[in-house]
Amino acid sequence: MKIERVEVIPYSIPYTHPLQFASGKVTHADHVLVRVHTDDGVVGTADAPPRPYTYGETQESISTIITKTFAPQVTGLDVFDRERIHAVLRRTIHNQVAKGALDIAVWDAIGKRLGAPVHKLLGGYTDRLRVSHMLGFRPAHELLDEALRFGETYGISTFKLKVGRRPLALDIEACHVLREGLGDGVEIYLDANRGWTANEALEVLRRTEGLGLTLLEEPCDAKEALSRRRLVDRSPIPVVGDESVPTAGDVSRELLSGGCNAICIKTARSGFTEATEILGLCTGLGVDVTMGNQIDTQVGSLATVTFGAAHEATSRRAGELSNFLDMADDLLAEPLLITDGTIRVRDVPGVGAEIDEDKLATYRLS
Ligand SMILES: [Mg+2]
């Protein structure tokens, strides 16, 4: 089953509630839908969410690198020969989101061709993933209101608080208000998106001691190697690498150099193939993993659920899966539902991201 062509469709869907955090703000989902067409009529689909302020990839760059560089080289290859496809993609460094979407679209095509759900092909560990909800920069009482509302409406009991603000007291207050208002049964962890220095992060850890926070993600720039290592050594909770570890090689470097001791896996930037390599490194070295969100659409979130539910280690913790609730619409024909705080995989061939063609026609840019 050979790749006949690769289609890129840039589209834009507005957010009803723009998400603000230390490294940026998002008002529209300016994404690219990637479709791999095969010579026997199977079409694999994936979503590519550019994050220019973090990785430098844009809607335009993703469309261009796929159309001009990757598509000509993978056209004619068999979708089952994934290692040959990746040998092509590996020649180009960076462009992780473009590569990730191509990889997921290939897996989707494989699943459809075999008549098998991709979550089964990847591992088939469980059929759902618990949902963690992300709380952006807002006054503490508004964050608490949102967390309580999401707990009541969706059954969510895990919250990631976006921090990294100055003065530090803003975030420290939010931690205390959330813990007091949510009680001990709710998991709270932090993501600073490199907003602090290592010493500021240590101060926040001191002033939130006893609150039972579970993880501290990307507290400072991982390039500040020595201070970051000092922070990791002294932190009572795992320090999670996220934007410092987009590739398996980055994961190796950061874990072995002491820059972090837990890893955030994002299928949007790793696809399923490199996410599998990253997961193997993490389980082999004995460090925790989380399934992160690249402010994904429902199409992207379904890919995260597909990978996360397929493996034991990735399904231990709640995955970040609720950002799509802030979008005005989505391309997925059958909406993702959060029930009892979980999202289920789809037991259909492929990943299960059937696209609503009318919606695509409405939101596509070309
Ligand atoms: Mg993060």
Side-chain angles (χ1 to χ4, degrees):
M1 187 172 65
K2 293 196 164 84
I3 295 174
E4 200 169 64
R5 67 188 173 99
V6 182
E7 185 183 13
V8 294
I9 308 173
Y11 69 91
S12 183
I13 297 178
Y15 275 86
T16 48
H17 300 97
L19 185 71
Q20 196 178 350
F21 42 95
S23 54
K25 182 180 179 186
V26 174
T27 60
H28 283 72
D30 292 319
H31 294 196
V32 182
L33 193 74
V34 176
R35 281 175 160 165
V36 169
H37 296 261
T38 68
D39 59 1
D40 61 357
V42 171
V43 181
T45 303
D47 195 52
R51 295 290 161 253
Y53 38 77
T54 306
Y55 305 106
E57 286 182 272
T58 65
Q59 194 176 43
E60 294 79 9
S61 80
I62 287 171
S63 302
T64 303
I65 193 79
I66 290 178
T67 307
K68 305 254 170 142
T69 305
F70 296 149
Q73 297 184 83
V74 301
T75 298
L77 295 180
D78 192 309
V79 291
F80 287 96
D81 297 341
R82 289 186 298 105
E83 189 57 17
R84 292 188 66 192
I85 295 169
H86 276 273
V88 167
L89 301 184
R90 275 197 294 268
R91 287 183 203 138
T92 305
I93 61 166
H94 305 309
N95 297 284
Q96 286 297 116
V97 174
K99 295 178 192 172
L102 251 179
D103 179 71
I104 292 170
V106 165
W107 273 99
D108 188 38
I110 289 171
K112 285 175 174 164
R113 179 70 174 77
L114 295 175
V118 172
H119 75 95
K120 292 277 192 189
L121 295 176
L122 287 169
Y125 180 71
T126 184
D127 64 355
R128 69 198 71 191
L129 209 55
R130 282 191 298 122
V131 176
S132 165
H133 179 63
M134 212 177 278
L135 301 166
F137 286 1
R138 308 252 295 276
H141 68 277
E142 289 183 22
L143 294 171
L144 176 58
D145 287 347
E146 183 175 335
L148 289 169
R149 187 157 43 81
F150 272 72
E152 196 165 318
T153 309
Y154 300 106
I156 292 173
S157 59
T158 304
F159 296 93
K160 167 188 261 194
L161 177 63
K162 287 290 194 184
V163 293
R165 291 180 289 182
R166 295 187 176 104
L168 304 181
L170 284 171
D171 291 332
I172 293 165
E173 183 202 4
C175 292
H176 283 269
V177 167
L178 284 173
R179 176 54 76 213
E180 196 170 312
L182 297 174
D184 289 338
V186 167
E187 179 176 358
I188 304 169
Y189 60 107
L190 309 182
D191 183 359
N193 290 104
R194 301 162 289 150
W196 295 324
T197 64
N199 283 336
E200 286 174 323
L202 278 167
E203 185 181 341
V204 172
L205 286 174
R206 273 196 303 276
R207 291 168 65 185
T208 55
E209 204 178 345
L211 295 183
L213 304 174
T214 54
L215 301 166
L216 174 59
E217 187 171 306
E218 216 70 273
C220 58
D221 195 324
K223 290 189 179 120
E224 297 162 15
L226 286 180
S227 57
R228 174 83 170 229
R229 201 180 306 171
R230 180 168 161 269
L231 166 64
V232 171
D233 285 344
R234 295 183 180 198
S235 173
I237 56 177
V239 174
V240 184
D242 177 11
E243 51 265 46
S244 59
V245 290
T247 71
D250 296 319
V251 169
S252 302
R253 185 198 61 234
E254 288 304 312
L255 286 177
L256 294 175
S257 68
C260 61
N261 49 12
I263 295 294
C264 175
I265 297 176
K266 290 179 175 169
T267 53
R269 68 177 180 216
S270 303
F272 293 154
T273 302
E274 191 158 19
T276 305
E277 292 172 17
I278 291 171
L279 179 60
L281 278 171
C282 293
T283 52
L285 290 167
V287 302
D288 278 17
V289 293
T290 64
M291 289 308 299
N293 193 307
Q294 198 140 301
I295 320 181
D296 286 300
T297 59
Q298 295 186 32
V299 177
S301 300
L302 183 58
T304 305
V305 174
T306 298
F307 184 86
H311 305 93
E312 182 183 9
T314 46
S315 54
R316 277 186 207 134
R317 294 183 177 277
E320 292 150 18
L321 300 166
S322 62
N323 280 126
F324 69 82
L325 294 170
D326 289 335
M327 289 177 64
D329 204 348
D330 204 278
L331 300 181
L332 206 58
E334 185 192 329
L336 273 193
L337 297 177
I338 303 175
T339 48
D340 296 331
T342 68
I343 296 179
R344 298 177 68 100
V345 294
R346 295 199 163 162
D347 276 319
V348 296
V351 174
E354 192 197 331
I355 300 301
D356 183 319
E357 296 299 331
D358 291 338
K359 287 183 179 176
L360 182 59
T362 302
Y363 296 114
R364 66 184 296 160
L365 300 175
S366 62

